Structure formats: structure tokens, C-alpha cells
Amino acid sequence: MKPEQVVLSDGILRRLIADYTREAGVRGLERQIGAVLRHCAVTIAAGESGPIAVSNEDLIRILGAPRFENEVAMRTSVPGVATGLAWTPVGGDILFVESSRVPGSGRLILTGQLGDVMKESAQAP
């Protein structure tokens, strides 16, 4: 294929990064771009002429539903949910800490895989 046969806009590349990859390097991104370009190569081999502009709908058709979703918009207005930041091997992520008040003895019980800093923050007076 020649570079002028396929158009991957900046928006499409951003969507690939945000919705289909989660890693520190670019190996996964390279795989996803390769899948899109292979699909375009088959389309060109079938006789399609002119530059092929990949759209958001094409991404879903080629790669399937997005693998990663941004929950911020969905979760920020829910009562009992606090937003936090966490370090991860791929750079970091936003996480949501949920709480609920129930009758009991007044003890705080932490569940899930919380790091020491998160446990300390939860138990701070």
C-alpha cells in the first residue's frame, strides 16, 4: 500500500489510543493500526479506488466494540462515589471509590485490592 491510499486522521489515532490500547509502549497500538491497515488493503485489493478514509464506524466494524471506556462522565454525579487517581504500569488511571453507610459496630472494613496509601487515606480521621 502507498501512504496516499489510506487516511488515518488524528481523531482516529486518538480514538485507537484511548479505546483500544492500554500500555506504556506502542506495541498494542501498532497491532491495532496494523489490523486497520490490513482491512484497508483487502478493500483496495477488491477494487476500491481513491484514498480510504477510516471513520469511527469503520473502527467498530474492524476492531469490534471499544475495549476500554472512560467512566468519568458516567460516575462523577453518583452519590457515595469519590474520584481518585492511581499509578499503574501504563501511566495511571482514574478510579472510583464507592462507599455506603450501613448499620453496624462502627468499624471500617476495606475490601478489594487497595494499596497501603489507599488504606491509610481511608482510615485517616
Side-chain angles (χ1 to χ4, degrees):
M1 285 188 351
K2 297 176 184 164
E4 60 271 4
Q5 290 179 297
V6 178
V7 176
L8 291 176
S9 69
D10 289 346
I12 292 297
L13 291 174
R14 282 190 194 96
R15 181 136 190 231
L16 275 169
I17 293 166
D19 294 348
Y20 293 94
T21 62
R22 280 286 194 274
E23 62 185 4
V26 293
R27 187 172 299 174
L29 177 60
E30 185 179 18
R31 286 185 192 127
Q32 299 302 335
I33 292 172
V36 171
L37 292 179
R38 281 189 296 279
H39 183 271
C40 292
V42 169
T43 304
I44 291 168
E48 181 82 24
S49 63
I52 297 173
V54 178
S55 67
N56 287 329
E57 293 78 22
D58 293 332
L59 282 184
I60 293 171
R61 192 167 34 83
I62 297 167
L63 301 176
R67 292 187 177 102
F68 304 100
E69 288 187 26
N70 185 353
E71 295 183 58
V72 174
M74 296 184 288
R75 303 284 299 270
T76 54
S77 63
V78 178
V81 177
T83 306
L85 297 173
W87 174 90
T88 67
V90 295
D93 205 356
I94 295 173
L95 54 88
F96 300 95
V97 180
E98 299 181 18
S99 63
S100 61
R101 184 175 180 178
V102 295
S105 63
R107 289 182 31 233
L108 175 66
I109 300 172
L110 301 173
T111 61
Q113 296 180 339
L114 296 174
D116 291 337
V117 173
M118 293 295 286
K119 288 178 185 176
E120 184 179 314
S121 295
Q123 295 172 348

